Amino acid sequence: VAREPGREVRISVAEAVAVEREGRSDPVAHGSTTAGGFETVRLNQPPAWTEDARVYEVYVRTFSDAPAGERFDAIADRIPDLADLGVDTLWLTPVLEHDGKPHGYNITDFFDVAEDLGDRDDYEAMVEAAHDNGMRVLFDFVANHTARDHEWFEDAYQNSESPYRDRYEWQESGEPGTYFDWELIANLNHANLHVRRFLLDVIDEWAPLVDGFRCDMAWAVPDSFWRELRDRVKDIDREFLLMDETIPYIPGFHEGMFDVHFDATLYFQLRQVGRGAAPAESVIDAVEQRAEIGFPDHAGFLQYIENHDETRYRVECGDAAAAAAGAATVTLPGVPMVYAGQEIGQRGRRDAIAWEHARGEVRERYERLLRTHAEHPALGPESDLERVGYHVASGDLTERPIQADGEEVHPDDVVAFRRGRGTEALVVVLNFAPAEAAVAVDVDHGTTNVVTGEACVVTDGDGTERIAVTDVAVVPIGEES
């Protein structure tokens, strides 16, 4: 799609459009235009609601200390509190019957919920509670494998006469196909039509209840299946979200398969910055890489600093960097995600959430960040991101000249960038250091940090105005209203 001086040809994924007569009974997709009695629909456009979505991941078995069978109810009880936090989309780890491993990804029954969580009525009541609080729900869909405890596998293992034998991949050793030496799963054979029919039935069972699928191990399942899934759900509801777990992300997965993609590239770069192994400015490189490798401008990306598979960010990188990294997921273009417990300073990855020991200052910080994201469309995924010139100093404004390489604040700890959409433009400054930084930015800007509502501009010993930033400052560009 482009050749830039001194760079390789850049090739994007194919776009797809449909030209349809006006007056169809189903809603028109986001990004459509109307002219002369016809609608031009961009088929790969993410649902319109993802433009201001804020996702919260719930690891269902440790989210509360409720006894077995009452966990759906306990999640439902906390939904109003999550709405107050500022998230509007819940991703729940698998809720189906499983082999006893707490993560729930080894499924034994794809058509019934796990008894340790509750029953089908409890699950539907929880989803309804989310909807009543203005929240959407994502179902964690596992299409790559079953548990070895699944009835198909138990019949097929070491039984060449089993009618289920061809429904799995097999190694020469006689063991099932698997990944990463995972011993308790068996990869399905997606070339088998019975497997395809079965998985389509699973889709039909759960899709009507929820607002989207988070698709586990999307990279391991044939593209043709995901295209079939997309056609199936989008024909019913074009606003149904399909989100892939593909690490690293693959541009082709936006071509008739998924709307929003896990951004492990930004995740990794934020970890590098927090460790002091990369400059803060490299997070912009990570975002710009999306277009460079072929994603279209409208592709969506899930931005996170931790999830149920990763060590908590603050454990590895410290509290100061964690505050800035969390702010990065909210202020860079993408869909921000908070992993349960992240908003209260939780340190254990899959431990029971220590609600009674919540760190109030961390919770308040996330409430401010998520409220800022909701109130400023310029921070949304479709808004422009631009580099700006900036100069970093320590917080000691009496220094002449400013020392930018002190022990507590280094220029590499800080990044500034511009976000803009329509008539709104903002400058964002992130500081990963444990001490306050004073940052001169090469754009005219106001004096208020909209995250805190407080004045944030100071003047140094040379008379230069600087933005004082502890973790994040978001300041309007130009005249403040």
Side-chain angles (χ1 to χ4, degrees):
V1 296
R3 179 188 290 276
E4 300 172 15
R7 306 186 72 171
E8 296 292 326
V9 172
R10 194 156 52 85
I11 300 173
S12 180
V13 302
E15 178 60 293
V17 298
V19 180
E20 300 172 348
R21 289 190 180 277
E22 287 185 281
R24 283 172 55 109
S25 59
D26 57 324
V28 177
H30 173 56
S32 66
T33 58
T34 303
F38 290 89
E39 301 160 338
T40 303
V41 181
R42 296 177 66 179
L43 299 178
N44 292 335
Q45 190 85 3
W49 59 266
T50 62
E51 289 186 23
D52 57 4
R54 291 167 294 281
V55 179
Y56 187 92
E57 182 196 354
V58 175
Y59 189 73
V60 293
R61 289 178 175 82
T62 59
F63 186 71
S64 76
D65 58 0
E70 299 179 16
R71 289 172 179 147
F72 285 139
D73 292 341
I75 294 170
D77 288 343
R78 282 208 174 266
I79 283 175
D81 184 60
L82 297 179
D84 289 342
L85 175 66
V87 295
D88 59 14
T89 305
L90 298 183
W91 156 30
L92 280 72
T93 54
V95 299
L96 301 182
E97 195 59 72
H98 60 102
D99 65 355
K101 293 298 179 181
H103 52 69
Y105 285 92
N106 304 346
I107 296 174
T108 58
D109 185 345
F110 285 76
F111 296 94
D112 198 9
V113 300
E115 292 183 1
D116 63 319
L117 301 178
D119 59 26
R120 175 69 173 257
D121 288 342
D122 297 330
Y123 175 70
E124 293 190 18
M126 181 202 63
V127 173
E128 185 176 354
H131 289 164
D132 289 345
N133 282 269
M135 306 181 76
R136 293 177 170 86
V137 177
L138 303 182
F139 180 90
D140 207 325
F141 177 56
V142 179
N144 175 72
H145 56 266
T146 73
R148 292 198 184 198
D149 291 346
H150 192 278
E151 62 180 355
W152 287 1
F153 184 81
E154 290 180 330
D155 189 87
Y157 186 56
Q158 296 183 341
N159 177 12
S160 61
E161 302 300 318
S162 170
Y164 305 112
R165 183 75 180 178
D166 289 343
R167 301 187 188 187
Y168 290 96
E169 296 177 0
W170 299 97
Q171 304 177 57
E172 291 184 3
S173 64
E175 293 300 308
T178 185
Y179 293 99
F180 310 116
D181 297 322
W182 292 337
E183 297 180 350
L184 300 178
I185 66 169
N187 288 352
L188 290 166
N189 172 20
H190 293 89
N192 183 292
L193 294 182
H194 292 288
V195 170
R196 288 288 184 114
R197 177 70 265 169
F198 173 83
L199 291 174
L200 292 176
D201 288 343
V202 174
I203 293 167
D204 292 345
E205 181 74 19
W206 300 108
L209 298 179
V210 295
D211 306 283
F213 285 165
R214 178 268 187 185
C215 297
D216 182 61
M217 293 178 64
W219 49 269
V221 176
D223 293 1
S224 59
F225 174 76
W226 297 129
R227 294 179 190 278
E228 190 168 9
L229 181 156
R230 185 180 184 89
D231 288 345
R232 197 173 192 86
V233 297
K234 295 288 187 177
D235 279 350
I236 298 170
D237 180 7
R238 285 173 171 154
E239 294 294 283
F240 192 90
L241 174 64
L242 293 175
M243 181 167 67
D244 64 353
E245 181 203 26
T246 303
I247 302 174
Y249 47 46
I250 301 171
F253 273 46
H254 200 80
E255 189 175 299
M257 288 181 272
F258 296 97
D259 303 306
V260 175
H261 316 274
F262 268 47
D263 195 343
T265 300
L266 178 60
Y267 160 82
F268 175 77
Q269 207 57 40
L270 285 168
R271 290 276 173 148
Q272 289 290 86
V273 174
R275 297 184 191 110
E281 190 174 17
S282 64
V283 300
I284 301 180
D285 299 333
V287 172
E288 290 179 341
Q289 182 180 330
R290 302 167 181 171
E292 290 174 358
I293 66 173
F295 279 105
D297 291 343
H298 58 262
F301 295 88
L302 186 74
Q303 300 181 159
Y304 57 95
I305 60 171
E306 54 196 44
N307 58 41
H308 67 274
D309 286 326
E310 308 294 347
T311 304
R312 296 283 185 176
Y313 190 100
R314 66 182 59 255
V315 170
E316 185 173 355
C317 305
D319 282 353
T329 64
V330 175
T331 55
L332 288 166
V335 178
M337 187 193 86
V338 175
Y339 175 42
Q342 177 182 332
E343 79 280 15
I344 62 168
Q346 179 89 4
R347 297 181 64 83
R349 181 183 63 171
R350 296 182 180 178
D351 298 351
I353 304 298
W355 298 110
E356 68 279 10
H357 299 297
R359 293 174 57 184
E361 77 281 6
V362 179
R363 164 82 186 208
E364 291 170 5
R365 182 187 308 129
Y366 274 98
E367 287 179 355
R368 292 194 301 267
L369 283 170
L370 295 168
R371 182 174 62 250
T372 301
H373 184 272
E375 293 175 350
H376 294 274
L379 297 178
E382 294 194 349
S383 178
D384 294 337
L385 168 68
E386 297 179 11
R387 295 176 187 265
V388 297
Y390 60 95
H391 180 267
V392 181
S394 70
D396 185 355
L397 300 176
T398 65
E399 296 174 352
R400 302 177 64 97
I402 296 297
Q403 299 297 312
D405 57 351
E407 294 181 359
E408 293 185 310
V409 178
H410 187 278
D412 286 350
D413 295 329
V414 177
V415 60
F417 50 87
R418 181 187 185 278
R419 298 298 312 279
R421 182 175 185 182
T423 59
E424 184 183 37
L426 305 168
V427 61
V428 178
V429 185
L430 300 172
N431 175 20
F432 290 79
E436 183 179 87
V439 185
V441 181
D442 293 347
V443 293
D444 292 332
H445 56 75
T447 60
T448 302
N449 181 354
V450 298
V451 178
T452 63
E454 298 175 352
C456 63
V457 171
V458 294
T459 303
D460 66 25
D462 285 336
T464 301
E465 286 192 342
R466 295 178 177 273
I467 296 173
V469 53
T470 301
D471 47 16
V472 60
V474 179
V475 183
I477 291 176
E479 294 294 328
E480 284 192 273
S481 60

